């Protein structure tokens, strides 16, 4: 068959050009877009070259672009589909049923040599369904979600910038107010003093206020500025992922239309299409993949200076694999190494109830007692915990979750949304006596919120607080630990039932029971997933944390 190249399609770094005229290529080594295909010659012709061909070979059957469905699959399309994504100089020949991956010989040698079900593609064409049309529709649906996500993320960046400017304006306004108040005090108390003394007193007062502004307020503004920059960078990366995935889909969709009835190519295309769909669902936080526990370990997080047994009420994993735990009983936040050894700790003013990631090196901690309700920010700097700013709340603070500058706070009865500078935005959900709001989590895209109480229910809310789903389970008694993974997998603990469950992202069904009392789970209080180590970390009411390695 004549060589040709598909075009106006670009996937990753692989440039794919449209069908080119073979006659022009032969005569002038020039790539000219083809307009016709000759079935007998198995060659492509442009508008200028088709006339000489027609005169010489008048009985040959040719198809124009209006009948492009009768054109053969171009060599570049074939090459693109058959080329291994990892090893660009190898062709795909096999499929690993265990890992659901297309494999070239190098892939098999490096990663799948011990897999029991590695089958040649040619042997699967009659047994594996392709349904490219159905996959194309599914792909188009999830890509609509990707586009909406991108729009929302771009709006989040603008919102973050507004929050920082508003906070700066409030700080400046407070400075002016303090200056005016102190100047008035100086003037009111100046009876009997000379003008020189009054001037000196006012100067000292102004200097004192300015120094306080420099030492406290400027530091606070810098902290928020760094948070905004970090979160903006994270959102920007996510936006780029959306753009790249959307481009991949558009280009891949165009290629799929040209495959025809070539069974092997259809099978490869369908597998790659499913992979793109899974990537999109993961980016949307809608992964339906259930974790499979591969092993477990136990680690003691008590330190000699602890006055009580450890009660791990919150867990947060940093991108580098370090772990922060909130020790309720000892009123401490502890930093654990990647080997789960305590390397640093910081005492907070009251019992820490929950902890969430703000930036790659900063967390927010919910601190609560009868008289203290506050959010404390803590930064990890060279293996040390450094306290930052904090803000007070007018209600209890029992749980925290963060998404792109929005801080979600539970009070035991309500769910609130705050800005990072402590400004109350709104109350999202009001519980009742039968259903409090003890703990919350947020989906990776921010479009779903999850809340639990000790009344054996998991609720899923829309971002505006609208109830979407309610989940109950006999294995979920007095739930008191909640986390959502970067792929949208929902993890929830049953404190009294001694269980760790994975619930679907819709919040309507159980995917799997990850751990039970038989696995060593005792009164689980908190849970978190580490992408770095592919592990689920469970905090308990005693000194130990459990680490379950998962796939």
């Amino acid at each position: 068959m004549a060589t040709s190249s598909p075009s106006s399609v670009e996937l990753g770094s692989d440039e794919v050009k449209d069908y080119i005229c073979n006659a022009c290529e032969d005569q002038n080594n020039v790539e000219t877009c083809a307009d016709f295909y000759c079935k007998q010659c198995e060659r492509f012709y442009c508008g200028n070259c088709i006339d000489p061909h027609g005169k010489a070979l008048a009985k040959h059957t040719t198809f124009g672009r209006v009948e492009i469905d009768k054109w053969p699959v171009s060599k570049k399309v074939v090459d693109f589909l058959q080329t291994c994504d990892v090893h660009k100089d190898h062709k795909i020949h096999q499929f690993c049923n265990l890992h659901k991956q297309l494999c070239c010989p190098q892939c098999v040698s490096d990663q799948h040599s011990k897999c029991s079900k590695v089958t040649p593609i040619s042997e699967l064409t009659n047994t594996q369904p392709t349904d490219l049309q159905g996959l194309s529709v599914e792909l188009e649906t999830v890509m609509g979600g990707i586009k909406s996500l991108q729009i929302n993320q771009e709006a989040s960046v603008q919102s973050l910038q507004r929050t920082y400017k508003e906070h700066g304006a409030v700080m400046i306004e407070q400075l002016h107010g303090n200056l005016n108040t102190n100047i008035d005090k100086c003037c009111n108390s100046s009876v009997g003093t000379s003008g020189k003394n009054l001037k000196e007193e006012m100067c000292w007062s102004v200097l004192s206020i300015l120094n306080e502004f420099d030492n406290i307020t400027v530091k606070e503004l810098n902290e928020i500025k760094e948070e905004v920059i970090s979160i903006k960078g994270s959102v920007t990366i996510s936006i780029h992922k959306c753009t790249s995935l959307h481009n991949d889909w558009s280009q891949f969709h165009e290629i799929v239309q040209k495959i025809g009835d070539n069974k092997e190519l259809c099978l490869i295309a369908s597998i790659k299409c499913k992979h793109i769909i899974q990537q999109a669902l993961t980016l949307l936080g809608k992964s339906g993949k259930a974790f499979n526990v591969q092993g477990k370990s136990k680690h003691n997080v008590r330190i000699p200076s602890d006055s009580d047994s450890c009660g791990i009420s919150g867990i947060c994993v940093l991108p580098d694999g370090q772990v922060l735990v909130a020790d309720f009983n000892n009123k401490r936040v502890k930093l654990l190494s990647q080997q789960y050894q305590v390397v640093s700790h910081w005492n907070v003013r009251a019992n820490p109830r929950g902890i969430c990631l703000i930036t790659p090196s900063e967390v927010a901690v919910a601190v609560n007692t009868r008289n203290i309700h506050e959010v404390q920010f803590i930064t990890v700097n060279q293996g040390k915990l450094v306290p930052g700013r904090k803000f007070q709340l007018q209600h209890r603070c029992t749980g925290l979750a963060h998404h792109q500058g929005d801080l979600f706070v539970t009070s035991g009865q309500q769910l609130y949304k705050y800005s990072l500078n402590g400004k109350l935005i709104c109350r999202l959900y009001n519980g009742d006596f039968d259903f409090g709001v003890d703990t919350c989590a947020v989906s990776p895209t921010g479009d779903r919120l999850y809340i639990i109480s000790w009344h054996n229910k998991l609720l899923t809310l829309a971002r505006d607080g609208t109830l979407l789903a309610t989940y109950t389970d006999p294995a979920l008694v007095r739930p008191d630990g909640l986390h959502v993974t970067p792929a949208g997998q929902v993890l929830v603990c049953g404190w009294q039932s001694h269980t760790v469950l994975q619930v679907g992202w819709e919040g309507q069904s159980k995917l799997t029971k990850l751990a039970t009392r038989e696995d060593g789970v005792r009164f689980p209080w908190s849970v978190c997933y580490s992408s770095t180590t592919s592990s689920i970390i469970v905090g308990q009411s005693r000194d130990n944390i459990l680490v379950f390695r998962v796939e």
Side-chain angles (χ1 to χ4, degrees):
M1 180 181 288
T3 61
S4 58
S5 327
S7 135
S8 37
V9 179
E10 181 179 350
L11 259 167
S13 61
D14 297 310
E15 185 179 351
V16 185
K17 295 184 178 179
D18 200 358
Y19 297 88
I20 61 173
C21 175
N22 298 132
C24 288
E25 188 178 32
D26 293 343
Q27 295 173 13
N28 306 311
N29 198 28
V30 174
E31 292 188 354
T32 306
C33 185
D35 298 305
F36 298 90
Y37 169 69
C38 175
K39 184 177 181 180
Q40 285 77 14
C41 296
E42 295 187 341
R43 286 171 63 85
F44 297 88
Y45 299 92
C46 65
N48 293 327
C49 295
I50 192 64
D51 289 337
H53 168 272
K55 292 177 181 177
L57 303 165
K59 294 184 179 181
H60 282 197
T61 303
T62 58
F63 302 104
R65 282 192 172 266
V66 293
E67 298 176 290
I68 200 169
D69 58 319
K70 296 180 180 179
W71 291 21
V73 183
S74 69
K75 183 177 183 299
K76 280 290 181 76
V77 167
V78 173
D79 289 344
F80 169 75
L81 289 174
Q82 290 184 337
T83 298
C84 177
D85 292 336
V86 180
H87 309 100
K88 300 296 184 181
D89 54 342
H90 287 77
K91 299 294 184 183
I92 294 168
H93 294 294
Q94 294 170 294
F95 179 73
C96 177
N97 289 276
L98 180 63
H99 296 97
K100 305 301 179 184
Q101 290 180 357
L102 294 165
C103 307
C104 71
Q106 192 65 46
C107 290
V108 175
S109 175
D110 292 348
Q111 297 178 328
H112 305 277
S113 59
K114 296 182 179 180
C115 296
S116 58
K117 295 183 179 180
V118 179
T119 310
I121 294 291
S122 58
E123 295 181 11
L124 296 174
T125 53
N126 293 323
T127 59
Q128 292 280 352
T130 54
D131 187 23
L132 283 175
Q133 186 61 38
L135 287 173
S136 180
V137 173
E138 185 178 352
L139 195 53
E140 190 168 357
T141 300
V142 296
M143 284 304 150
I146 290 291
K147 190 62 178 178
S148 297
L149 173 60
Q150 182 175 347
I151 293 170
N152 292 337
Q153 289 173 328
E154 289 168 349
S156 293
V157 171
Q158 297 175 359
S159 176
L160 280 168
Q161 293 171 329
R162 284 196 302 270
T163 296
Y164 174 70
K165 291 179 181 179
E166 289 172 1
H167 191 60
V170 169
M171 294 296 100
I172 297 297
E173 187 177 342
Q174 288 179 353
L175 172 65
H176 289 163
N178 290 338
L179 288 172
N180 291 331
T181 299
N182 278 269
I183 290 172
D184 290 340
K185 287 182 178 179
C186 290
C187 293
N188 293 333
S189 61
S190 63
V191 178
T193 61
S194 66
K196 180 179 180 181
N197 290 337
L198 174 61
K199 184 177 180 180
E200 289 180 353
E201 187 177 346
M202 291 176 65
C203 285
W204 281 113
S205 179
V206 169
L207 284 173
S208 175
I209 294 170
L210 289 175
N211 285 334
E212 182 180 2
F213 182 84
D214 286 340
N215 294 333
I216 299 176
T217 311
V218 171
K219 178 185 176 183
E220 186 175 321
L221 282 172
N222 285 336
E223 287 178 353
I224 294 181
K225 182 179 181 180
E226 289 174 3
E227 287 168 359
V228 170
I229 292 172
S230 177
I231 296 169
K232 181 180 177 181
S234 176
V235 176
T236 301
I237 291 172
S238 184
I239 290 173
H240 287 162
K241 288 181 180 178
C242 288
T243 303
S244 175
L245 199 55
H246 201 278
N247 289 341
D248 283 356
W249 167 74
S250 300
Q251 295 153 359
F252 191 80
H253 187 268
E254 184 175 338
I255 282 182
V256 167
Q257 309 309 308
K258 300 179 181 180
I259 294 176
D261 57 359
N262 186 308
K263 289 185 177 181
E264 287 194 21
L265 291 182
C266 284
L267 179 57
I268 293 173
S270 70
I271 294 171
K272 289 192 173 187
C273 189
K274 290 174 184 176
H275 179 66
I276 294 176
I277 290 172
Q278 189 57 51
Q279 282 184 305
L281 290 174
T282 299
L283 193 58
L284 289 170
K286 296 180 178 180
S287 174
K289 180 182 178 182
F291 285 119
N292 182 24
V293 176
Q294 300 294 306
K296 69 172 182 177
S297 58
K298 183 167 66 173
H299 305 271
N300 192 305
V301 295
R302 187 166 185 173
I303 57 178
S305 58
D306 285 343
S307 59
D308 201 347
S309 63
C310 303
I312 307 305
S313 54
I315 304 174
C316 185
V317 180
L318 301 182
D320 63 3
Q322 294 184 97
V323 180
L324 283 155
V325 297
D327 186 344
F328 181 91
N329 296 343
N330 292 292
K331 299 180 182 179
R332 285 175 166 171
V333 175
K334 297 176 179 178
L335 176 65
L336 312 183
S337 67
Q338 294 181 5
Q339 291 72 41
Y340 308 105
Q341 301 298 311
V342 180
V343 295
S344 181
H345 69 273
W346 182 263
N347 294 351
V348 290
R349 292 208 307 152
N351 304 105
R353 291 292 305 268
I355 186 169
C356 69
L357 194 68
I358 303 297
T359 74
S361 60
E362 183 188 44
V363 297
V365 184
V367 178
N368 190 80
T369 59
R370 178 175 295 181
N371 301 317
I372 298 174
H373 319 298
E374 65 186 24
V375 175
Q376 171 73 61
F377 293 83
I378 297 177
T379 300
V380 179
N381 186 6
Q382 297 182 344
K384 300 293 182 182
L385 297 181
V386 182
R389 73 187 189 284
K390 58 186 174 184
F391 62 81
Q392 309 299 316
L393 302 174
Q394 300 302 311
H395 54 76
R396 294 173 63 211
C397 186
T398 62
L400 292 174
H402 169 255
H403 183 265
Q404 297 181 359
D406 290 330
L407 196 62
F408 302 96
V409 181
T410 55
S411 69
Q413 287 297 126
Q414 291 86 23
L415 173 67
Y416 298 92
K417 182 168 75 171
Y418 284 83
S419 66
L420 288 178
N421 60 8
K423 179 183 177 182
L424 176 61
I425 306 300
C426 64
R427 184 176 67 184
L428 287 169
Y429 185 83
N430 187 29
D432 51 35
F433 180 78
D434 292 326
F435 190 90
V437 185
D438 284 336
T439 308
C440 64
V442 60
S443 68
T445 56
D447 61 336
R448 291 177 306 283
L449 297 161
Y450 304 91
I451 57 176
I452 59 173
S453 82
W454 278 27
H455 295 284
N456 306 338
K457 291 182 181 179
L458 168 69
L459 296 190
T460 303
L461 311 176
R463 193 177 179 88
D464 62 359
T466 303
L467 179 63
L468 299 177
T470 301
Y471 177 73
T472 60
D473 194 305
L476 192 62
V477 182
R478 296 182 73 180
D480 197 15
L482 181 64
H483 176 72
V484 182
T485 75
Q489 295 136 310
V490 182
L491 308 177
V492 59
C493 297
W495 186 83
Q496 194 166 316
S497 52
H498 313 290
T499 52
V500 181
L501 308 182
Q502 180 183 345
V503 179
W505 63 268
E506 306 96 330
Q508 296 176 334
S509 61
K510 177 174 64 183
L511 294 184
T512 185
K513 186 183 291 184
L514 293 165
T516 66
R517 191 183 187 97
E518 287 69 29
D519 302 303
V521 177
R522 298 290 187 277
F523 301 104
W525 204 348
S526 54
V527 63
C528 190
Y529 172 72
S530 171
S531 302
T532 308
T533 59
S534 295
S535 299
I536 294 173
I537 307 168
V538 180
Q540 305 191 102
S541 299
R542 300 178 183 178
D543 295 334
N544 297 316
I545 61 171
L546 297 176
V547 179
F548 295 92
R549 184 170 53 83
V550 296
E551 284 187 352

